[in-house]
Amino acid sequence: MSEINILGKIDFVDCRDLTMRKTEGGFISLTINEKEYERVNFYRAFPLSKPDEYISVRDNDKNEICLIRNINELSQEYAQLVKMDLDRRYFTPEIIKINTVKDEYGYVYMNMLTDSGERSVTIPNGSSNFIRLSDVRLILIDIDGNRFGIEDYLKLDEKSVRLLETLI
């Protein structure tokens, strides 16, 4: 179990002490130090800047079991299981085109084309839902917590850029 010691440093789990398997239901179970967890979930501490580092392993009640320093310390089989879970949790379709935007009563209603198909979303109008990662890179978070990315919004078509610039 990872703990913060008196110097404030985090003790990471030794990945050789972990055993993982995919269950029949498609979940991941974990055994560490002879204790078995039937279902675990993985969370990134720094999802945008260090996606393969500082991975929190939590039980079904969201209690942290351990902390993995880097996915690359795991065996290839286990790393693949962890990446599969992280990709599902942090799924971020890339916005290709914005068709319509309607700003009403504190919400933005958008219809857009993503690399995963056409989507209609509702986004609370506020800076915490339209996040600038750089001058041109954006993350949009809808009312359900789904994320949508734009690598460089200036490379979108002229109408999409104009619609976005009214919001950011």
Side-chain angles (χ1 to χ4, degrees), residues 13 33 47 81 83 105 129 152 161 165:
V13 69
N33 299 328
L81 285 174
K83 286 179 182 181
Y105 305 113
N129 298 301
D152 183 345
V161 171
E165 285 183 337

Side-chain angles (χ1 to χ4, degrees), residues 97-101 109-113 118-121:
K97 181 180 180 182
I98 298 173
N99 299 318
T100 62
V101 170
Y109 302 91
M110 296 179 77
N111 178 277
M112 58 193 171
L113 179 63
E118 191 169 329
R119 299 288 305 264
S120 291
V121 298

Side-chain angles (χ1 to χ4, degrees), residues 121-131 138-149:
V121 298
T122 303
I123 303 172
N125 196 355
S127 62
S128 62
N129 298 301
F130 293 88
I131 303 168
L138 303 170
I139 294 285
L140 283 60
I141 304 173
D142 76 5
I143 198 164
D144 297 317
N146 299 310
R147 299 169 196 81
F148 300 89

Side-chain angles (χ1 to χ4, degrees), residues 11-12 14 34-36 69 80 104 114 117 135 138:
D11 293 324
F12 295 94
D14 185 338
E34 299 181 18
K35 182 164 183 178
E36 185 172 354
R69 181 185 309 274
Q80 191 173 15
E104 191 172 75
T114 73
D135 289 340
L138 303 170

Side-chain angles (χ1 to χ4, degrees), residues 13-14 57 68 73 84 96 102 108 113 129 147 155:
V13 69
D14 185 338
V57 184
I68 298 170
E73 294 175 6
M84 175 192 70
I96 298 168
K102 183 178 178 184
V108 175
L113 179 63
N129 298 301
R147 299 169 196 81
K155 290 184 179 178

Side-chain angles (χ1 to χ4, degrees), residues 39 48 55 59 65 71 95 116 120 131 138 147 167-168:
R39 181 177 177 186
L48 300 173
I55 307 300
D59 65 19
I65 300 165
I71 292 173
I95 296 172
S116 295
S120 291
I131 303 168
L138 303 170
R147 299 169 196 81
L167 301 169
I168 57 175

